[in-house]
Amino acid sequence: MIIDIASWWSFLLIFVRITTFMVTAPIFSGRQIPNQYKVTLGIILSLLSVGLVEGPADIEAWSDWTLSVMILKEFLVGLVLGMVASIFFYAVQMAGSLMDLLIGFSMATLYDPSFGTNTQLTGRFKNIVAFLVLFSIDGHHLLIRGILTSFEWVALDAAVPAWLDGRLSTFILECLTQMFMIGFMMAAPIVGTLFIVDVALGIVSRTVPQMNMFTVFPPIKILVHFSVYIFVLPSFFYLLKLLFENMFDSMFSILKLMGA
């Protein structure tokens, strides 16, 4: 079977968008997944999509400059979609970092292969729980469906004026605002409780100066942390539900924004 030049160029444009999304979106962008698997998955999805996505009719007449601009556009579309999805996942890591900062776990850091950075104990635990919940609701399938649906909203030969008029940057700032709000909501019960414990222990240290606070206080804070965490853990799953809803809604909204 002979494939014409137009199909090859369409495959290249599709491959650039899907692969860029794979290396930036949560789950797929994890360092624990070899790059060969990411590229292979991008090739498979591109081959399956090339016959379904409507390619540019006059792509053979495009100049080298036009092809370069379109490849850059596909790269940016995949990057923006993956970045928007990843922004909300950073809320989980931020909440864990705030909690560990007050309890003292920030002195013991772990390497997080999902983000390629060092994260604290609670942040790593929350990341694992978030990934398991996302897998349980088939969130990885929804992410793949999102990038494949993007070709219906942003065609291969379509321009994206939202990059120039400030609408896209404004929307990303709104996503960052939601990320910080959800992250603070996740950490608020533990942070508030530990703040009260710090105040109480500070009063005790002033009234009983003979007490060795560096020996007594850390175990008390750890005990209070885990005791409160058991009771507030169900609320964490509710906030995860809210987080994933905002993540997928934001991906859909940004597709409409770029396709307008």
Side-chain angles (χ1 to χ4, degrees):
M1 182 178 62
I2 300 176
I3 302 178
D4 56 0
I5 300 300
S7 299
W8 278 112
W9 280 115
S10 298
F11 167 78
L12 177 61
L13 295 175
I14 296 172
F15 172 75
V16 170
R17 183 186 300 190
I18 293 178
T19 306
T20 306
F21 178 80
M22 290 298 173
V23 298
T24 54
I27 296 179
F28 304 105
S29 62
R31 299 292 181 89
Q32 69 273 25
I33 302 177
N35 293 328
Q36 295 87 340
Y37 292 174
K38 300 175 187 178
V39 175
T40 302
L41 181 59
I43 293 175
I44 294 174
L45 292 177
S46 301
L47 289 174
L48 295 175
S49 304
V50 69
L52 302 175
V53 177
E54 183 179 357
D58 57 345
I59 191 172
E60 296 182 359
W62 286 0
S63 62
D64 294 340
W65 170 253
T66 304
L67 286 172
S68 300
V69 171
M70 288 301 172
I71 291 175
L72 178 61
K73 186 210 75 174
E74 297 300 321
F75 174 81
L76 293 176
V77 170
L79 180 65
V80 169
L81 287 175
M83 184 177 62
V84 168
S86 297
I87 281 175
F88 289 93
F89 250 86
Y90 285 119
V92 180
Q93 185 175 356
M94 185 194 71
S97 299
L98 288 176
M99 295 164 58
D100 288 334
L101 182 64
L102 287 180
I103 196 176
F105 284 168
S106 59
M107 293 182 291
T109 59
L110 294 175
Y111 179 74
D112 188 354
S114 301
F115 297 97
T117 58
N118 290 330
T119 184
Q120 285 73 33
L121 298 174
T122 309
R124 179 61 178 156
F125 171 73
K126 285 180 174 291
N127 282 335
I128 294 175
V129 173
F131 280 123
L132 292 177
V133 173
L134 189 62
F135 278 119
S136 66
I137 63 174
D138 288 335
H140 53 300
H141 294 164
L142 295 177
L143 290 173
I144 294 176
R145 183 182 302 178
I147 186 60
L148 296 181
T149 307
S150 67
F151 294 102
E152 300 178 4
W153 290 91
V154 185
L156 295 179
D157 57 346
V160 185
W163 290 344
L164 302 177
D165 56 13
R167 288 179 294 164
L168 189 62
S169 58
T170 303
F171 183 80
I172 293 177
L173 289 176
E174 293 176 358
C175 293
L176 286 172
T177 303
Q178 296 179 15
M179 181 269 288
F180 279 106
M181 290 180 59
I182 296 176
F184 283 124
M185 290 171 62
M186 289 181 177
I190 303 296
V191 171
T193 303
L194 292 179
F195 176 76
I196 296 175
V197 172
D198 284 336
V199 174
L201 293 178
I203 296 174
V204 171
S205 65
R206 298 294 295 178
T207 55
V208 188
Q210 297 82 5
M211 181 181 296
N212 189 353
M213 62 178 183
F214 293 104
T215 304
V216 179
F217 289 179
I220 294 177
K221 294 182 65 175
I222 293 174
L223 177 62
V224 173
H225 169 265
F226 285 109
S227 300
V228 176
Y229 199 81
I230 293 174
F231 291 100
V232 302
L233 188 58
S235 65
F236 175 67
F237 292 102
Y238 171 77
L239 291 174
L240 279 181
K241 175 178 177 293
L242 181 64
L243 179 73
F244 294 147
E245 289 178 353
N246 287 342
M247 182 176 69
F248 293 121
D249 290 342
S250 297
M251 290 181 62
F252 180 70
S253 299
I254 206 167
L255 284 177
K256 293 194 298 182
L257 191 65
M258 290 190 296

PDB file of all heavy atoms in Angstrom, residues 223-243:
ATOM      1  N   LEU A 223       2.424  12.234  66.459  1.00  0.00           N
ATOM      2  CA  LEU A 223       1.237  11.520  66.934  1.00  0.00           C
ATOM      3  C   LEU A 223      -0.032  12.292  66.593  1.00  0.00           C
ATOM      4  O   LEU A 223      -1.021  11.698  66.119  1.00  0.00           O
ATOM      5  CB  LEU A 223       1.351  11.295  68.441  1.00  0.00           C
ATOM      6  CG  LEU A 223       0.154  10.608  69.111  1.00  0.00           C
ATOM      7  CD1 LEU A 223      -0.037   9.203  68.541  1.00  0.00           C
ATOM      8  CD2 LEU A 223       0.347  10.562  70.629  1.00  0.00           C
ATOM      9  N   VAL A 224      -0.018  13.597  66.836  1.00  0.00           N
ATOM     10  CA  VAL A 224      -1.186  14.409  66.500  1.00  0.00           C
ATOM     11  C   VAL A 224      -1.431  14.409  64.998  1.00  0.00           C
ATOM     12  O   VAL A 224      -2.578  14.323  64.534  1.00  0.00           O
ATOM     13  CB  VAL A 224      -0.996  15.845  67.029  1.00  0.00           C
ATOM     14  CG1 VAL A 224      -2.119  16.750  66.537  1.00  0.00           C
ATOM     15  CG2 VAL A 224      -0.945  15.847  68.550  1.00  0.00           C
ATOM     16  N   HIS A 225      -0.357  14.473  64.226  1.00  0.00           N
ATOM     17  CA  HIS A 225      -0.490  14.492  62.761  1.00  0.00           C
ATOM     18  C   HIS A 225      -1.208  13.251  62.256  1.00  0.00           C
ATOM     19  O   HIS A 225      -2.190  13.338  61.509  1.00  0.00           O
ATOM     20  CB  HIS A 225       0.899  14.598  62.135  1.00  0.00           C
ATOM     21  CG  HIS A 225       0.912  14.369  60.653  1.00  0.00           C
ATOM     22  ND1 HIS A 225       1.194  13.128  60.104  1.00  0.00           N
ATOM     23  CD2 HIS A 225       0.671  15.192  59.599  1.00  0.00           C
ATOM     24  CE1 HIS A 225       1.127  13.207  58.792  1.00  0.00           C
ATOM     25  NE2 HIS A 225       0.823  14.438  58.461  1.00  0.00           N
ATOM     26  N   PHE A 226      -0.758  12.074  62.663  1.00  0.00           N
ATOM     27  CA  PHE A 226      -1.367  10.848  62.167  1.00  0.00           C
ATOM     28  C   PHE A 226      -2.759  10.623  62.748  1.00  0.00           C
ATOM     29  O   PHE A 226      -3.632  10.045  62.081  1.00  0.00           O
ATOM     30  CB  PHE A 226      -0.471   9.644  62.472  1.00  0.00           C
ATOM     31  CG  PHE A 226       0.736   9.564  61.588  1.00  0.00           C
ATOM     32  CD1 PHE A 226       2.005   9.819  62.075  1.00  0.00           C
ATOM     33  CD2 PHE A 226       0.602   9.238  60.243  1.00  0.00           C
ATOM     34  CE1 PHE A 226       3.113   9.755  61.245  1.00  0.00           C
ATOM     35  CE2 PHE A 226       1.705   9.175  59.401  1.00  0.00           C
ATOM     36  CZ  PHE A 226       2.962   9.431  59.909  1.00  0.00           C
ATOM     37  N   SER A 227      -2.990  11.077  63.967  1.00  0.00           N
ATOM     38  CA  SER A 227      -4.322  10.942  64.562  1.00  0.00           C
ATOM     39  C   SER A 227      -5.341  11.777  63.799  1.00  0.00           C
ATOM     40  O   SER A 227      -6.452  11.306  63.489  1.00  0.00           O
ATOM     41  CB  SER A 227      -4.280  11.365  66.032  1.00  0.00           C
ATOM     42  OG  SER A 227      -3.381  10.559  66.768  1.00  0.00           O
ATOM     43  N   VAL A 228      -4.983  13.011  63.484  1.00  0.00           N
ATOM     44  CA  VAL A 228      -5.894  13.875  62.728  1.00  0.00           C
ATOM     45  C   VAL A 228      -6.012  13.403  61.292  1.00  0.00           C
ATOM     46  O   VAL A 228      -7.098  13.460  60.691  1.00  0.00           O
ATOM     47  CB  VAL A 228      -5.414  15.340  62.800  1.00  0.00           C
ATOM     48  CG1 VAL A 228      -6.297  16.249  61.945  1.00  0.00           C
ATOM     49  CG2 VAL A 228      -5.391  15.819  64.232  1.00  0.00           C
ATOM     50  N   TYR A 229      -4.919  12.899  60.745  1.00  0.00           N
ATOM     51  CA  TYR A 229      -4.918  12.480  59.333  1.00  0.00           C
ATOM     52  C   TYR A 229      -5.893  11.329  59.096  1.00  0.00           C
ATOM     53  O   TYR A 229      -6.499  11.229  58.021  1.00  0.00           O
ATOM     54  CB  TYR A 229      -3.506  12.061  58.924  1.00  0.00           C
ATOM     55  CG  TYR A 229      -3.274  12.048  57.442  1.00  0.00           C
ATOM     56  CD1 TYR A 229      -2.991  13.229  56.769  1.00  0.00           C
ATOM     57  CD2 TYR A 229      -3.361  10.874  56.702  1.00  0.00           C
ATOM     58  CE1 TYR A 229      -2.784  13.234  55.396  1.00  0.00           C
ATOM     59  CE2 TYR A 229      -3.155  10.869  55.344  1.00  0.00           C
ATOM     60  CZ  TYR A 229      -2.873  12.047  54.698  1.00  0.00           C
ATOM     61  OH  TYR A 229      -2.685  12.061  53.342  1.00  0.00           O
ATOM     62  N   ILE A 230      -6.045  10.454  60.076  1.00  0.00           N
ATOM     63  CA  ILE A 230      -6.992   9.338  59.936  1.00  0.00           C
ATOM     64  C   ILE A 230      -8.408   9.863  59.770  1.00  0.00           C
ATOM     65  O   ILE A 230      -9.202   9.334  58.972  1.00  0.00           O
ATOM     66  CB  ILE A 230      -6.885   8.403  61.149  1.00  0.00           C
ATOM     67  CG1 ILE A 230      -5.519   7.703  61.157  1.00  0.00           C
ATOM     68  CG2 ILE A 230      -8.006   7.361  61.139  1.00  0.00           C
ATOM     69  CD1 ILE A 230      -5.271   6.862  62.391  1.00  0.00           C
ATOM     70  N   PHE A 231      -8.747  10.931  60.496  1.00  0.00           N
ATOM     71  CA  PHE A 231     -10.112  11.461  60.445  1.00  0.00           C
ATOM     72  C   PHE A 231     -10.362  12.312  59.202  1.00  0.00           C
ATOM     73  O   PHE A 231     -11.489  12.361  58.705  1.00  0.00           O
ATOM     74  CB  PHE A 231     -10.402  12.285  61.707  1.00  0.00           C
ATOM     75  CG  PHE A 231     -10.493  11.460  62.954  1.00  0.00           C
ATOM     76  CD1 PHE A 231      -9.422  11.383  63.829  1.00  0.00           C
ATOM     77  CD2 PHE A 231     -11.644  10.746  63.255  1.00  0.00           C
ATOM     78  CE1 PHE A 231      -9.504  10.616  64.982  1.00  0.00           C
ATOM     79  CE2 PHE A 231     -11.739   9.974  64.404  1.00  0.00           C
ATOM     80  CZ  PHE A 231     -10.663   9.899  65.269  1.00  0.00           C
ATOM     81  N   VAL A 232      -9.333  12.983  58.689  1.00  0.00           N
ATOM     82  CA  VAL A 232      -9.533  13.876  57.543  1.00  0.00           C
ATOM     83  C   VAL A 232      -9.238  13.188  56.216  1.00  0.00           C
ATOM     84  O   VAL A 232      -9.401  13.804  55.162  1.00  0.00           O
ATOM     85  CB  VAL A 232      -8.649  15.143  57.666  1.00  0.00           C
ATOM     86  CG1 VAL A 232      -8.964  15.890  58.951  1.00  0.00           C
ATOM     87  CG2 VAL A 232      -7.173  14.791  57.595  1.00  0.00           C
ATOM     88  N   LEU A 233      -8.818  11.919  56.251  1.00  0.00           N
ATOM     89  CA  LEU A 233      -8.499  11.230  54.997  1.00  0.00           C
ATOM     90  C   LEU A 233      -9.701  11.110  54.064  1.00  0.00           C
ATOM     91  O   LEU A 233      -9.539  11.266  52.846  1.00  0.00           O
ATOM     92  CB  LEU A 233      -7.910   9.846  55.288  1.00  0.00           C
ATOM     93  CG  LEU A 233      -7.344   9.076  54.082  1.00  0.00           C
ATOM     94  CD1 LEU A 233      -6.241   9.881  53.404  1.00  0.00           C
ATOM     95  CD2 LEU A 233      -6.821   7.707  54.512  1.00  0.00           C
ATOM     96  N   PRO A 234     -10.926  10.835  54.558  1.00  0.00           N
ATOM     97  CA  PRO A 234     -12.070  10.812  53.615  1.00  0.00           C
ATOM     98  C   PRO A 234     -12.280  12.127  52.879  1.00  0.00           C
ATOM     99  O   PRO A 234     -12.678  12.120  51.709  1.00  0.00           O
ATOM    100  CB  PRO A 234     -13.261  10.475  54.526  1.00  0.00           C
ATOM    101  CG  PRO A 234     -12.663   9.728  55.670  1.00  0.00           C
ATOM    102  CD  PRO A 234     -11.317  10.371  55.896  1.00  0.00           C
ATOM    103  N   SER A 235     -12.019  13.247  53.542  1.00  0.00           N
ATOM    104  CA  SER A 235     -12.164  14.530  52.868  1.00  0.00           C
ATOM    105  C   SER A 235     -11.136  14.697  51.756  1.00  0.00           C
ATOM    106  O   SER A 235     -11.376  15.417  50.780  1.00  0.00           O
ATOM    107  CB  SER A 235     -12.042  15.678  53.868  1.00  0.00           C
ATOM    108  OG  SER A 235     -10.734  15.716  54.434  1.00  0.00           O
ATOM    109  N   PHE A 236      -9.985  14.022  51.882  1.00  0.00           N
ATOM    110  CA  PHE A 236      -8.965  14.088  50.836  1.00  0.00           C
ATOM    111  C   PHE A 236      -9.479  13.469  49.542  1.00  0.00           C
ATOM    112  O   PHE A 236      -9.217  13.977  48.448  1.00  0.00           O
ATOM    113  CB  PHE A 236      -7.697  13.377  51.308  1.00  0.00           C
ATOM    114  CG  PHE A 236      -6.622  13.271  50.259  1.00  0.00           C
ATOM    115  CD1 PHE A 236      -5.969  14.405  49.789  1.00  0.00           C
ATOM    116  CD2 PHE A 236      -6.269  12.040  49.731  1.00  0.00           C
ATOM    117  CE1 PHE A 236      -4.984  14.315  48.824  1.00  0.00           C
ATOM    118  CE2 PHE A 236      -5.282  11.941  48.764  1.00  0.00           C
ATOM    119  CZ  PHE A 236      -4.635  13.072  48.312  1.00  0.00           C
ATOM    120  N   PHE A 237     -10.231  12.374  49.644  1.00  0.00           N
ATOM    121  CA  PHE A 237     -10.786  11.746  48.447  1.00  0.00           C
ATOM    122  C   PHE A 237     -11.856  12.643  47.813  1.00  0.00           C
ATOM    123  O   PHE A 237     -11.985  12.678  46.583  1.00  0.00           O
ATOM    124  CB  PHE A 237     -11.377  10.376  48.788  1.00  0.00           C
ATOM    125  CG  PHE A 237     -10.349   9.369  49.187  1.00  0.00           C
ATOM    126  CD1 PHE A 237     -10.147   9.046  50.520  1.00  0.00           C
ATOM    127  CD2 PHE A 237      -9.560   8.749  48.234  1.00  0.00           C
ATOM    128  CE1 PHE A 237      -9.196   8.125  50.892  1.00  0.00           C
ATOM    129  CE2 PHE A 237      -8.603   7.821  48.593  1.00  0.00           C
ATOM    130  CZ  PHE A 237      -8.414   7.507  49.927  1.00  0.00           C
ATOM    131  N   TYR A 238     -12.609  13.352  48.638  1.00  0.00           N
ATOM    132  CA  TYR A 238     -13.573  14.306  48.075  1.00  0.00           C
ATOM    133  C   TYR A 238     -12.851  15.427  47.331  1.00  0.00           C
ATOM    134  O   TYR A 238     -13.279  15.830  46.238  1.00  0.00           O
ATOM    135  CB  TYR A 238     -14.442  14.883  49.196  1.00  0.00           C
ATOM    136  CG  TYR A 238     -15.299  16.035  48.733  1.00  0.00           C
ATOM    137  CD1 TYR A 238     -16.456  15.820  47.985  1.00  0.00           C
ATOM    138  CD2 TYR A 238     -14.951  17.354  49.036  1.00  0.00           C
ATOM    139  CE1 TYR A 238     -17.234  16.873  47.553  1.00  0.00           C
ATOM    140  CE2 TYR A 238     -15.721  18.410  48.608  1.00  0.00           C
ATOM    141  CZ  TYR A 238     -16.871  18.166  47.868  1.00  0.00           C
ATOM    142  OH  TYR A 238     -17.635  19.218  47.422  1.00  0.00           O
ATOM    143  N   LEU A 239     -11.762  15.912  47.894  1.00  0.00           N
ATOM    144  CA  LEU A 239     -10.999  16.963  47.219  1.00  0.00           C
ATOM    145  C   LEU A 239     -10.322  16.434  45.955  1.00  0.00           C
ATOM    146  O   LEU A 239     -10.159  17.176  44.979  1.00  0.00           O
ATOM    147  CB  LEU A 239      -9.960  17.546  48.174  1.00  0.00           C
ATOM    148  CG  LEU A 239     -10.527  18.362  49.344  1.00  0.00           C
ATOM    149  CD1 LEU A 239      -9.416  18.765  50.295  1.00  0.00           C
ATOM    150  CD2 LEU A 239     -11.265  19.594  48.838  1.00  0.00           C
ATOM    151  N   LEU A 240      -9.928  15.151  45.969  1.00  0.00           N
ATOM    152  CA  LEU A 240      -9.394  14.557  44.747  1.00  0.00           C
ATOM    153  C   LEU A 240     -10.459  14.518  43.660  1.00  0.00           C
ATOM    154  O   LEU A 240     -10.160  14.771  42.482  1.00  0.00           O
ATOM    155  CB  LEU A 240      -8.880  13.143  45.029  1.00  0.00           C
ATOM    156  CG  LEU A 240      -7.492  13.007  45.649  1.00  0.00           C
ATOM    157  CD1 LEU A 240      -7.139  11.534  45.822  1.00  0.00           C
ATOM    158  CD2 LEU A 240      -6.437  13.697  44.803  1.00  0.00           C
ATOM    159  N   LYS A 241     -11.678  14.181  44.024  1.00  0.00           N
ATOM    160  CA  LYS A 241     -12.780  14.197  43.053  1.00  0.00           C
ATOM    161  C   LYS A 241     -12.951  15.602  42.472  1.00  0.00           C
ATOM    162  O   LYS A 241     -13.098  15.775  41.261  1.00  0.00           O
ATOM    163  CB  LYS A 241     -14.071  13.733  43.733  1.00  0.00           C
ATOM    164  CG  LYS A 241     -15.317  13.818  42.858  1.00  0.00           C
ATOM    165  CD  LYS A 241     -16.519  13.299  43.616  1.00  0.00           C
ATOM    166  CE  LYS A 241     -17.792  13.449  42.791  1.00  0.00           C
ATOM    167  NZ  LYS A 241     -18.158  14.861  42.574  1.00  0.00           N
ATOM    168  N   LEU A 242     -12.913  16.608  43.348  1.00  0.00           N
ATOM    169  CA  LEU A 242     -13.010  17.993  42.881  1.00  0.00           C
ATOM    170  C   LEU A 242     -11.830  18.362  42.009  1.00  0.00           C
ATOM    171  O   LEU A 242     -11.970  19.057  40.987  1.00  0.00           O
ATOM    172  CB  LEU A 242     -13.094  18.921  44.091  1.00  0.00           C
ATOM    173  CG  LEU A 242     -13.229  20.429  43.821  1.00  0.00           C
ATOM    174  CD1 LEU A 242     -14.541  20.722  43.106  1.00  0.00           C
ATOM    175  CD2 LEU A 242     -13.144  21.211  45.125  1.00  0.00           C
ATOM    176  N   LEU A 243     -10.639  17.866  42.370  1.00  0.00           N
ATOM    177  CA  LEU A 243      -9.428  18.158  41.604  1.00  0.00           C
ATOM    178  C   LEU A 243      -9.517  17.582  40.195  1.00  0.00           C
ATOM    179  O   LEU A 243      -9.211  18.260  39.207  1.00  0.00           O
ATOM    180  CB  LEU A 243      -8.212  17.595  42.336  1.00  0.00           C
ATOM    181  CG  LEU A 243      -6.852  17.789  41.676  1.00  0.00           C
ATOM    182  CD1 LEU A 243      -6.411  19.233  41.779  1.00  0.00           C
ATOM    183  CD2 LEU A 243      -5.810  16.886  42.319  1.00  0.00           C
TER     184      LEU A 243
END
